[in-house]
Amino acid sequence: MNGIIRLLDTQFTKVNIESKSFDKGITDDLKSTLSYIPVFEGSDNSFIIKFEITLKNELFTLEVQSASHFETTESITEEFKNSNFPKINAPAIAYPYVRAFISNIMLSSGYNPLVLPSLNFVAISNKKQIEQ
């Protein structure tokens, strides 16, 4: 695709916090799961990257789902759908917004700040290909 691709916005479709303690440090040792998927439906020139993130331990759970909306100036083809852009580049563009949201929601909710690590979406994509 030779057209312009841009991130329009990121919407958070689910945010769930459950805590069994008032300790601000409850979030210091969390296990995490992250998944994401490109979704092509509706318009011929837009797509969505959906993220699902869970951070938890025995006393705390944070679940976040988001949808990052991308727009293109050209129609999306099957070749584009199978390319690296929706699997690697678009998630790498959208993830910092999700990461910042989680950091802010934790701080605003009275917990210690939580900064998710940067991710290597190339390595994640390669691992998914090996597993298939």
Side-chain angles (χ1 to χ4, degrees):
M1 175 175 290
N2 293 325
I4 296 170
I5 304 168
R6 67 184 182 119
L7 174 62
L8 294 176
D9 59 39
T10 297
Q11 296 175 311
F12 293 86
T13 56
K14 178 180 182 180
V15 179
N16 182 43
I17 298 175
E18 294 181 27
S19 179
K20 297 177 183 171
S21 171
F22 291 109
D23 177 12
K24 292 180 119 191
I26 194 172
T27 60
D28 291 344
D29 187 28
L30 298 173
K31 303 262 188 247
S32 64
T33 59
L34 174 134
S35 63
Y36 63 92
I37 185 169
V39 177
F40 301 95
E41 55 186 37
S43 173
D44 289 344
N45 66 335
S46 67
F47 65 98
I48 296 169
I49 301 296
K50 289 188 175 184
F51 280 95
E52 290 187 15
I53 298 174
T54 301
L55 304 165
K56 69 187 303 182
N57 61 28
E58 61 279 347
L59 297 174
F60 179 88
T61 300
L62 171 65
E63 298 171 310
V64 174
Q65 293 178 3
S66 68
S68 296
H69 303 259
F70 286 83
E71 180 180 71
T72 67
T73 56
E74 296 181 5
S75 292
I76 294 173
T77 63
E78 284 301 315
E79 180 182 357
F80 176 79
K81 290 178 183 179
N82 295 317
S83 74
N84 282 338
F85 195 90
K87 296 174 187 171
I88 297 171
N89 302 75
I93 292 167
Y95 178 69
Y97 295 94
V98 176
R99 187 174 176 238
F101 176 82
I102 289 173
S103 182
N104 287 329
I105 196 80
M106 293 300 294
L107 187 61
S108 297
S109 298
Y111 299 99
N112 288 341
L114 178 65
V115 179
L116 296 180
S118 297
L119 295 178
N120 181 337
F121 287 93
V122 172
I124 293 170
S125 179
N126 290 341
K127 183 179 176 186
K128 285 182 178 180
Q129 288 177 352
I130 291 170
E131 292 172 353
Q132 291 177 352

